[in-house]
Amino acid sequence: MLALARQAVLVFLCLTVVTGIVYPALMTVVAQVVFPRQANGSLIERDGKIVGSALIGQQFDDPRYFWSRPSATIPTPYNAAASTGSNYGPTNPAQLDAVRGRVEALRNAHPGQSESVPVDLVTASGSGLDPHISPAAAEYQVARIATARSVSEQTIRDLVAQHTSGRQFGLLGEPRVNVLELNLAIEEVNK
């Protein structure tokens, strides 16, 4: 019985070292060598300063910038430590009220728009951190941004087209626009 207990403890210690130290260290080294940008959070830098991550959305409310998809994280929007969806179903009265309020705010910010508001501008993603909007959501905002920045709508549309990513591997997901990267590109237009 004592020999069996010794073997069990030895196996436990060996597996702890292998799975708790060796394997994580090896994966960290491989990730840093093969995928250094992704392993470090896909950080975006401008002028030597980190301005955000390509993987986590940010809140923009200035009319000169594209606005992100709403965040469901509480109490701070786009808080990665509180990643969560709202868990409200499509018929939940709180969800319906929130969407109605967001639609009204967007209509007020875009008084000349007659087309319907894209759904991703009024609903949060499952994680509450989505850094992307659809090309339709970007197009909905073009006139406001062009007016606020005193540039042509075509200039803004060209930037949207340049920053639109297609489906992954040509078939997975939907076309999308990273809001932070697009807003940084817009800053370059007004320099």
Side-chain angles (χ1 to χ4, degrees):
M1 188 66 152
L2 189 56
L4 207 53
R6 246 185 262 152
Q7 284 179 337
V9 169
L10 185 60
V11 168
F12 171 75
L13 291 175
C14 287
L15 286 174
T16 299
V17 170
V18 169
T19 61
I21 298 171
V22 174
Y23 181 76
L26 179 65
M27 289 300 105
T28 300
V29 169
V30 168
Q32 288 295 331
V33 171
V34 179
F35 305 107
R37 182 175 178 275
Q38 294 89 335
N40 292 309
S42 299
L43 300 177
I44 298 173
E45 289 185 29
R46 285 295 183 267
D47 302 322
K49 294 180 186 174
I50 295 172
V51 295
S53 169
L55 303 175
I56 297 177
Q58 291 185 17
Q59 185 169 4
F60 295 96
D61 53 12
D62 187 321
R64 300 171 352 111
Y65 294 102
F66 282 91
W67 295 342
S68 302
R69 189 170 189 171
S71 175
T73 62
I74 297 174
T76 309
Y78 304 101
N79 178 0
S83 174
T84 184
S86 67
N87 291 331
Y88 291 145
T91 59
N92 183 299
Q95 172 76 346
L96 293 172
D97 289 344
V99 168
R100 279 189 202 105
R102 292 172 186 151
V103 168
E104 184 178 331
L106 281 166
R107 291 258 184 240
N108 290 337
H110 303 89
Q113 298 280 38
S114 59
E115 62 260 9
S116 60
V117 176
V119 71
D120 54 323
L121 287 178
V122 295
T123 58
S125 67
S127 69
L129 304 174
D130 196 350
H132 300 98
I133 57 174
S134 66
E139 176 60 33
Y140 188 85
Q141 301 179 68
V142 165
R144 180 197 78 231
I145 295 163
T147 301
R149 290 191 171 269
S150 301
V151 298
S152 73
E153 287 185 23
Q154 190 56 49
T155 299
I156 303 299
R157 276 192 189 92
D158 290 344
L159 284 172
V160 170
Q162 291 169 16
H163 288 84
T164 299
S165 301
R167 297 171 186 261
Q168 193 169 16
F169 309 120
L171 63 131
L172 298 176
E174 294 295 324
R176 62 208 175 281
V177 180
N178 187 293
V179 177
L180 176 58
E181 291 174 353
L182 180 57
N183 283 337
L184 290 171
I186 286 174
E187 281 297 306
E188 298 298 316
V189 169
N190 286 102
K191 278 192 174 180

